[in-house]
Each structure stands twice: as structure tokens, then as C-alpha cells.
């Protein structure tokens, strides 16, 4: 394997021949450089897509900051090269390397991979291969780095089980330190000389068993899956006593101080701004929302902490925009106070504020007035469905009048652009429900034209619903090609002039669908698809649907088994042994309520005993206070069982 000096020399010869060489040189302002030889444990964080997307990934920013606070460890970064540079890397035998030191990834002790969405699976395999690391976990020895994965996809880790040594289920701020400590402890245990690596003595199987005992860490090689005759799961069982029957997600009770010394990228990237996470989790209970289920409970940072972090981030980076992040920014209890406080803290500066996601019912006039001072380009609202019936089914109930009133207030205060997010493909959706998206969008634009005339713009993003694991809709099927095309064609044909429409390619939907709810057999499909050229599946011009279908055929699997099949009520899912702390009984009864068109109110108003509070009772006891946004926490009277008046009875 090449040394950092040799990699630098080869880069000098080739970088000027590729697009955006700034992606590959490192040296950014605020990047952390430590003395490699004096550090015990080296961690590389890998985002399996290009620099332009990965450098702004919030999760990796947090973990990069956490590790680099340690004196005994360092963290560096790597991203997947674009096609032109990958070709050059392979031709010139340049391995995938970390930007800070130019060390090849194979030199690191741990590689932490963030996989926020399923269409990064083939990219992950490609990155490992570029690094010279065996793609399959079973082929790795003690001389190879430990491959850890995290991110939202890890609530169903099974399709990638063959490639990842261990998964972090849940939040990583604390567990990453447990992993580093465990790796350090096992590096001191003597074994036979064939296991020696860089002066360390790591026995990989023993290390994996030790990792499996860390709460929130799942080691797939320590489990076995048995199948029914119909192809569904019979059971997933641990093979060793060190592996728990169920892996419970990790959470941090109190959000740690957010990172503020953000890396300033060398080139223009997708989100070139400072980011401060104001809140984690959501209490709304939208039945389609994977993040809303898997990031419970809600924890908030104080306005003062957020404001101080924003000030430090602006000072350390020079960014002129700050984004206040959460699943729904307007649900943060101090949002209006925060926006006003930014005006007071930065009175003479041109500070732009970004609130990535707003709920119609929680956007107030005060919030709009506050945002006017900060050059916000537009408002993004996510009604998701356009009829009362569909909103009850998905548990995101607002009235048309609420949306129109909000749009009227936004346009009348001088904003020219509103973006609306809808989804097609919700359970029991009809073409009338799709037509309602058209009618409601036309009405919103009409309100804008009444307020500001022809300057009013409406951007419409219409995704296709993919049922996700660990949510109330995990039992339902996804729309097929014919259904998706019919609905999209209606939107394209009937939307009025002045409305800009963006939609999801049906092939992208189907790939996401079978990867989202796949089982271990999908690993062979993923591997074959990658070997045959599948990569950058999230990029429309690179996606190769035919390669995926050929891979399914090669392994005698039917993709519709994973996409268009309604699940049995009593079906055991591939992710059954991964717990997000939300009870399956609660999830199923919520699904039953959707069939009845019944809604649940916000969890801040009433606790429905999903499982979160009793499971994390010890954390709540150790960390009391208003950081937990749940009514039962505030009253100190958590429910421990479901109440019959709140839920449908399962016969």
C-alpha cells in the first residue's frame, strides 16, 4: 500500500485532469491535523458519495468533533470520488485516502461509514474496494480496519449484513467513544504472531464479541436467520452468548454542545452554511415518517445554547447563513424567540437564516415577521397530502384553509417563493387524492398572485411514498410502475402555469423500496449489482435499473416480494431484532387507526405509551428537566401501559 508521500506525488500528476480537483486535496480551513505517529487510535469517517454532498453531513461533523476532542485518537475524512477521478485512481493504483493526512484508509483502525439512505449501498462497496479493503466482512483479517456503519438505514441493517463488521443503531455521540475504548483495550491482548498488525495484537472474532456487548452495537456475523417456506423470516437468533437477542438503539439524554468549528470547503457545495441542531426527535407521529419514529424522544437545546453556538460557528467559518436544524424547525418551542434573538445578537450583519422544514400549523405570524429581517429566500412547507381523508390516514391533519391562510401571510410579507412537499402513493390513495394536490397547489399560487401579482412562484416537490421499517406503514406495499406513472402523468398534465414540478423517478422509488425492507438475501443482489457496474444509484443519470433486475434474476429472487407485497399481520420482519424502543404493538395499533381514518394528537399534548418513556426511564431519572419534550416527563408521571380509550383493540 502506498505511503502518504507517494499518494501526494501521484495526486500532483493527475489532479488537474479531473473535474473539481478541490474535492480531493484537503487542507480546508478548520480541518483537524494531528501527529499520526503519536496517536493511539485512528478513525476515518467515510461518506459514500461525493465531497460536494458529504462535507455538510451533520452526523459526521458531530462525530469528527467528538473524536478529535480526545488526546488518544484522531478523526479524518474521506469521500467517494466522482467517476472521472475513480478511473484515474484505479489506473494509477491510488487507494482511497483520508483528506487530512493522505493516509490510505486501510491504515486506519476504524472506518465509520454514514449511510443515511439506501441508494448509497453500492457506493459503500465501491469505497471499500477503492480502499483495498475486502468488501465482505468475512474476508477481513486483523490487518484490516474495523468497518462500522451508522445512519438511518441501520434500523434495517440486514441487506448490508455481509459487508459491515458492526452497526451503531441510534445516536453516535457516546457510543463512538465506547467503540474506540473497546478497540484500544483489545489491541493490548496478546495472540499468536499471525495476528500481529502495526505492533497491535487484535483478535478480530474476540473484538467483535466485545463490540456486541456495547449497548446499541449490532454485529451481524454473530446472528443467524431462519426462513419460512414462503420466504418470510422465521427467526433471527444470536449465535453466541455475547450477542443480545434484541439490540436497543442508543440515545443521548441531553444533547452535547454542538460543533462550531465547521470545515470550510474548498469548493462550492450543496449546503455551504453553518448548522446548529436545535432539537432532535419529533412528537407529531406522522405515520409515514421513518425519522419521526426512530429518533424519539424529543430533546431540545436552550435558545441561549443555540445562539451561542451560532455565534461561534459564524466567527469560526465566515459563513453568512446559519441553518437551525430539526425534523420540523417551527416545532422547536423557542423558535420565535431564537429568530428574534439572532436579530439582536447580529444587528449590523447580513445574516441569513435557514429553517429547512416547517409545519403549516406551527408557522406563526411572529415567526414570519422575524424571518423577514434575515433574507430568507423562501418558505418550505410540507402538507404531504391534499385531502382531509389522506391527512387523517397519514396522521398529518391540517385543513386546506390553514395552508391557504399561511400561504397568504407568507406572500403578503414579501416572499416570492413557496415550496410545497407532497407525496403520492400513500395507502388507499386514489386519483381523486392526486387531483386534490393539483387543485390545492393552484389555490396556493392564486393567493400569491392576489398578494404580489406575477412575482409569486410556487415550487412543488412530489415524492413517491416508500414504506419504511419501524413505522406504522411497514405492512403496506409500494405503488407499482403503472400506478406511479398514472399519478405523475396527471400531475404533469393538469398543474397550472407558474408551478414548477419536481418528481421522483419511478425506478428510484422501486430500488429504494426493495433495499429499505429487504432481508439478508439482498446482500447477494447488492454485491452482484455492484460488481456489474451499479453505483451512484441516487443520481438519476447514473442509475442502472436493468443491472438490479439482472442481479435479482441471477439469485432467483423476485423484487416484488419486497416491494409490492402486503405484509401479513403476524409477519416477522427482517429488522425484528433491532429495537428503536417503539413497541411493535403500538406501531401496529397505529396502523389499524390509519385504516379507520383516526388521528393521534401531538405527543406533547398526550402520551400514547409508544414505549420510549419506560424503556429510557433510567436516562430520564438521571437527566430530569425540560430538555425532554413529553408531557409525562414534565409531570413525572409516565404511563407504563397503553390505555384502552386511546388505541384500537387487536382481536
Amino acid at each position: 500500500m502506498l505511503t502518504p508521500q507517494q499518494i501526494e506525488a501521484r495526486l500532483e500528476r493527475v489532479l488537474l485532469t479531473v473535474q473539481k480537483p478541490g474535492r480531493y486535496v484537503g487542507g480546508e480551513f478548520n480541518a483537524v491535523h494531528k501527529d499520526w505517529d503519536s496517536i493511539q487510535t485512528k478513525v476515518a469517517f467515510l461518506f459514500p458519495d461525493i465531497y460536494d454532498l458529504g462535507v455538510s453531513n451533520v452526523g459526521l461533523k458531530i462525530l469528527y468533533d467528538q473524536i478529535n476532542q480526545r488526546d488518544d485518537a484522531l478523526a479524518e475524512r474521506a469521500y467517494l470520488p466522482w467517476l472521472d477521478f475513480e478511473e484515474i485512481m484505479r489506473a494509477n493504483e491510488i487507494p482511497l485516502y483520508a483528506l487530512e493526512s493522505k493516509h490510505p484508509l486501510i491504515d486506519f483502525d476504524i472506518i465509520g461509514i454514514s449511510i443515511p439512505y439506501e441508494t448509497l449501498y453500492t457506493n459503500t462497496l465501491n469505497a471499500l474496494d477503492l480502499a483495498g479493503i475486502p468488501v465482505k466482512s468475512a474476508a477481513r483479517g486483523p490487518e484490516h480496519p474495523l468497518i462500522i456503519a451508522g445512519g438511518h438505514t441501520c434500523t434495517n441493517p440486514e441487506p448490508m449484513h455481509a459487508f459491515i463488521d458492526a452497526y451503531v443503531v441510534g445516536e453516535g455521540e457516546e457510543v463512538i467513544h465506547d467503540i474506540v475504548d473497546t478497540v484500544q483495550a483489545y489491541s493490548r491482548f496478546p495472540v499468536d504472531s499471525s495476528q500481529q498488525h502495526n505492533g497491535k495484537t487484535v483478535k478480530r472474532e474476540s473484538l467483535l464479541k466485545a463490540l456486541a456487548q456495547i449497548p446499541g452495537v449490532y454485529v451481524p456475523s454473530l446472528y443467524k436467520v431462519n426462513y419460512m417456506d414462503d420466504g418470510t423470516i422465521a427467526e433471527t437468533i444470536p449465535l453466541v452468548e455475547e450477542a443480545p437477542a434484541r439490540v436497543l438503539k442508543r440515545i443521548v439524554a441531553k444533547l452535547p454542545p454542538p460543533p462550531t468549528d465547521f470545515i470550510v470547503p474548498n469548493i462550492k457545495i450543496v449546503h455551504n452554511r453553518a448548522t446548529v441542531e436545535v432539537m432532535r426527535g419529533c412528537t407529531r407521529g406522522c405515520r409515514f415518517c421513518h425519522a419521526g419514529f426512530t429518533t424519539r424522544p424529543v430533546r431540545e437545546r436552550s435558545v441561549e445554547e443555540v445562539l451561542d453556538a451560532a455565534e461561534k460557528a459564524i466567527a469560526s467559518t465566515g459563513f453568512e447563513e446559519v441553518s437551525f436544524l430539526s425534523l420540523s424547525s417551527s416545532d422547536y418551542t423557542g423558535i420565535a424567540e431564537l429568530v428574534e434573538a439572532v436579530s439582536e445578537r447580529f444587528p449590523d450583519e447580513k445574516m441569513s437564516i435557514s429553517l429547512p422544514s416547517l409545519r403549516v400549523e406551527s408557522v406563526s405570524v411572529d415567526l414570519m415577521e422575524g424571518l423577514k429581517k434575515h433574507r430568507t429566500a423562501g418558505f418550505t412547507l410540507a402538507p404531504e397530502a391534499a385531502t382531509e381523508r389522506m391527512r387523517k390516514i397519514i396522521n398529518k391533519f391540517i385543513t386546506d384553509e390553514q395552508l391557504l391562510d399561511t400561504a397568504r401571510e407568507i406572500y403578503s410579507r414579501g416572499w416570492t417563493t413557496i415550496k410545497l412537499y407532497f407525496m403520492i402513493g400513500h395507502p388507499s390513495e386514489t386519483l381523486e387524492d392526486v387531483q386534490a394536490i393539483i387543485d390545492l397547489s393552484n389555490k396556493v399560487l392564486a393567493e400569491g398572485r392576489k398578494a404580489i401579482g406575477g412575482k409569486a412562484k410556487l415550487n412543488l416537490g412530489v415524492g413517491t411514498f416508500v414504506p419504511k421499517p419501524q413505522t406504522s406503514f411497514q405492512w403496506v406495499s409500494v405503488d407499482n410502475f403503472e400506478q406511479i406513472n398514472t399519478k405523475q402523468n396527471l400531475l404533469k398534465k393538469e398543474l397550472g402555469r407558474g408551478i414548477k414540478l419536481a418528481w421522483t423517478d419511478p425506478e428510484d422509488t422501486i430500488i429504494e423500496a426493495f433495499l429499505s425492507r429487504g432481508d439478508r438475501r439482498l446482500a447477494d443482489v447488492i454485491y452482484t449489482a455492484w460488481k456489474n457496474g451499479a453505483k451512484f444509484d441516487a443520481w438519476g443519470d447514473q442509475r442502472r435499473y436493468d443491472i438490479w433486475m439482472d442481479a435479482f434474476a441471477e439469485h432467483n429472487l423476485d423484487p416484488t416480494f419486497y416491494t409490492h407485497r402486503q405484509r401479513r399481520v403476524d409477519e416477522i420482519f427482517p429488522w425484528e431484532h433491532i429495537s428503536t424502543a417503539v413497541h411493535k404493538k403500538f406501531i401496529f395499533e397505529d396502523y389499524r387507526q390509519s385504516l379507520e381514518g383516526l388521528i393521534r394528537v401531538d405527543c406533547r399534548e398526550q402520551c400514547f405509551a409508544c414505549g420510549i418513556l419506560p424503556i429510557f426511564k433510567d436516562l430520564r431519572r438521571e437527566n430530569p428537566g425540560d430538555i425532554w419534550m413529553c408531557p409525562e416527563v414534565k409531570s413525572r408521571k409516565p404511563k407504563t401501559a397503553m390505555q384502552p380509550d386511546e388505541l384500537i383493540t387487536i382481536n
Side-chain angles (χ1 to χ4, degrees):
M1 191 58 66
L2 299 182
T3 66
Q5 294 76 20
Q6 291 170 323
I7 289 176
E8 288 268 22
R10 296 191 185 191
L11 291 177
E12 288 182 7
R13 296 198 301 266
V14 300
L15 275 183
L16 292 181
T17 67
V18 303
Q19 303 174 42
K20 298 184 181 180
R23 291 168 170 163
Y24 312 115
V25 297
E28 306 101 323
F29 187 69
N30 286 335
V32 178
H33 298 267
K34 292 188 175 183
D35 179 25
W36 179 275
D37 294 328
S38 66
I39 297 295
Q40 180 179 358
T41 305
K42 289 89 171 177
V43 182
F45 289 116
L46 167 67
F47 189 83
D49 210 319
I50 61 173
Y51 177 97
D52 315 43
L53 298 176
V55 76
S56 58
N57 181 269
V58 175
L60 290 189
K61 288 180 181 179
I62 291 171
L63 297 178
Y64 183 83
D65 178 66
Q66 286 287 319
I67 293 298
N68 279 322
Q69 289 180 35
R70 297 177 61 130
D71 294 330
D72 61 350
L74 63 76
E76 300 187 359
R77 300 161 297 125
Y79 309 96
L80 195 65
W82 187 241
L83 304 175
D84 58 341
F85 189 46
E86 179 189 341
E87 182 178 351
I88 288 174
M89 289 176 70
R90 293 189 184 278
N92 290 270
E93 298 183 336
I94 300 172
L96 191 59
Y97 56 88
L99 291 181
E100 282 80 357
S101 68
K102 303 303 186 295
H103 270 275
L105 292 194
I106 201 168
D107 286 353
F108 286 79
D109 301 292
I110 301 169
I111 297 177
I113 309 176
S114 176
I115 313 180
Y117 41 91
E118 294 83 4
T119 44
L120 292 179
Y121 286 168
T122 53
N123 280 9
T124 300
L125 272 57
N126 205 41
L128 292 173
D129 185 63
L130 274 172
I133 298 169
V135 167
K136 294 187 177 181
S137 178
R140 296 178 200 133
E143 72 277 15
H144 295 117
L146 183 71
I147 307 300
I148 306 285
H152 284 299
T153 61
C154 294
T155 55
N156 178 22
E158 295 304 88
M160 288 286 284
H161 81 283
F163 316 112
I164 305 298
D165 295 326
Y167 287 90
V168 169
V169 181
E171 298 165 1
E173 289 97 330
E174 295 175 353
V175 71
I176 188 64
H177 294 291
D178 295 340
I179 292 170
V180 170
D181 292 343
T182 301
V183 169
Q184 289 181 349
Y186 269 75
S187 71
R188 295 190 291 269
F189 289 170
V191 292
D192 64 82
S193 59
S194 66
Q195 303 287 348
Q196 297 293 325
H197 170 52
N198 292 342
K200 300 179 181 180
T201 52
V202 180
K203 188 169 184 178
R204 201 171 186 88
E205 290 183 9
S206 297
L207 174 59
L208 293 177
K209 290 178 182 179
L211 291 169
Q213 296 175 70
I214 299 173
V217 175
Y218 170 57
V219 180
S221 62
L222 303 182
Y223 294 77
K224 178 184 178 182
V225 177
N226 294 318
Y227 293 89
M228 308 276 281
D229 290 341
D230 64 358
T232 60
I233 305 295
E235 59 181 351
T236 300
I237 55 175
L239 297 173
V240 296
E241 61 181 5
E242 291 88 350
R246 297 191 78 199
V247 178
L248 175 65
K249 75 173 183 181
R250 280 288 281 271
I251 69 167
V252 291
K254 178 175 171 48
L255 300 182
T260 55
D261 293 333
F262 297 121
I263 290 170
V264 180
N266 288 329
I267 62 172
K268 184 178 180 180
I269 63 171
V270 175
H271 299 301
N272 204 5
R273 59 199 181 203
T275 55
V276 181
E277 185 185 29
V278 299
M279 181 175 80
R280 193 172 295 178
C282 183
T283 56
R284 294 290 186 168
C286 300
R287 292 176 173 126
F288 59 84
C289 183
H290 180 259
F293 275 86
T294 60
T295 62
R296 299 182 184 199
V298 168
R299 289 136 292 154
E300 292 193 344
R301 288 190 169 102
S302 69
V303 170
E304 190 62 29
E305 183 181 8
V306 172
L307 196 61
D308 287 345
E311 185 172 31
K312 291 176 183 176
I314 295 300
S316 71
T317 62
F319 290 140
E320 294 182 347
E321 180 178 355
V322 60
S323 177
F324 295 123
L325 295 182
S326 70
L327 289 179
S328 176
S329 303
S330 53
D331 280 349
Y332 174 58
T333 55
I335 189 62
E337 179 187 353
L338 175 61
V339 171
E340 184 60 33
V342 170
S343 299
E344 296 174 1
R345 187 74 66 99
F346 306 99
D348 301 320
E349 300 180 42
K350 293 182 178 180
M351 180 65 62
S352 179
I353 292 177
S354 171
L355 300 178
S357 180
L358 300 172
R359 290 185 67 96
V360 173
E361 65 271 43
S362 55
V363 176
S364 67
V365 172
D366 289 343
L367 179 58
M368 290 185 231
E369 288 294 334
L371 288 172
K372 280 176 64 176
K373 306 171 187 177
H374 297 286
R375 301 185 296 119
T376 306
F379 268 81
T380 299
L381 304 172
E384 308 294 0
T387 62
E388 180 176 313
R389 182 183 75 87
M390 289 308 304
R391 290 172 186 147
K392 287 181 178 179
I393 287 173
I394 67 175
N395 202 52
K396 192 166 185 176
F397 189 75
I398 57 170
T399 65
D400 286 359
E401 199 55 42
Q402 281 179 293
L403 177 59
L404 295 174
D405 286 345
T406 302
R408 190 179 307 118
E409 295 287 350
I410 293 170
Y411 282 125
S412 66
R413 282 167 171 75
W415 279 280
T416 60
T417 304
I418 293 177
K419 183 169 186 177
L420 297 180
Y421 279 120
F422 288 97
M423 278 194 286
I424 57 173
H426 288 303
S428 78
E429 182 183 62
T430 67
L431 286 180
E432 287 73 22
D433 297 307
V434 180
Q435 179 64 47
I437 296 175
I438 298 166
D439 298 339
L440 186 55
S441 299
N442 289 334
K443 290 178 182 178
V444 168
L445 183 59
E447 292 294 336
R449 288 175 172 166
K450 289 178 188 176
I452 57 173
K455 293 186 296 182
K457 298 178 182 178
L458 179 64
N459 296 334
L460 197 62
V462 182
T464 303
F465 171 59
V466 174
K468 291 291 185 174
Q470 316 274 3
T471 70
S472 301
F473 290 151
Q474 62 184 351
W475 284 271
V476 306
S477 61
V478 72
D479 275 1
N480 60 35
F481 277 109
E482 182 180 0
Q483 292 168 314
I484 295 171
N485 285 324
T486 299
K487 294 172 183 179
Q488 289 183 344
N489 289 337
L490 178 61
L491 290 167
K492 296 172 189 177
K493 179 181 178 182
E494 299 295 334
L495 277 171
R497 294 181 62 183
I499 299 176
K500 183 179 179 181
L501 173 65
W503 62 92
T504 304
D505 189 289
E507 290 184 352
D508 183 61
T509 297
I510 301 304
I511 292 174
E512 181 184 347
F514 60 65
L515 292 177
S516 293
R517 294 190 295 172
D519 52 41
R520 289 195 165 197
R521 292 170 296 188
L522 262 290
D524 289 334
V525 175
I526 294 168
Y527 183 80
T528 299
W530 166 70
K531 289 289 286 184
N532 291 338
K535 56 189 172 185
F536 289 110
D537 295 301
W539 295 71
D541 60 341
Q542 299 300 319
R543 185 189 314 110
R544 291 286 307 277
Y545 187 78
D546 58 322
I547 289 179
W548 283 101
M549 294 302 100
D550 290 345
F552 270 101
E554 181 173 331
H555 295 286
N556 296 314
L557 289 174
D558 180 3
T560 64
F561 178 83
Y562 302 100
T563 56
H564 306 317
R565 179 177 63 87
Q566 187 81 14
R567 274 47 171 181
R568 299 191 315 270
V569 167
D570 62 346
E571 184 161 331
I572 296 175
F573 294 115
W575 51 89
E576 204 87 10
H577 55 301
I578 305 297
S579 173
T580 64
V582 179
H583 294 316
K584 186 177 181 182
K585 181 181 178 183
F586 166 84
I587 295 175
F588 179 72
E589 292 184 344
D590 194 53
Y591 171 52
R592 289 280 298 271
Q593 284 204 358
S594 78
L595 300 178
E596 299 286 335
L598 301 176
I599 62 172
R600 293 186 192 270
V601 297
D602 192 312
C603 293
R604 298 189 194 201
E605 300 177 34
Q606 181 180 353
C607 177
F608 294 99
C610 68
I612 286 287
L613 296 182
I615 287 176
F616 292 118
K617 63 181 182 298
D618 291 339
L619 280 180
R620 293 188 289 116
R621 189 179 298 114
E622 295 166 5
N623 298 272
D626 288 347
I627 57 170
W628 301 79
M629 294 290 109
C630 295
E632 311 309 328
V633 173
K634 293 178 181 295
S635 67
R636 305 294 183 267
K637 296 178 181 179
K639 293 182 181 180
T640 57
M642 300 181 182
Q643 302 301 309
D645 58 333
E646 296 167 357
L647 299 167
I648 297 173
T649 302
I650 301 178
N651 295 322

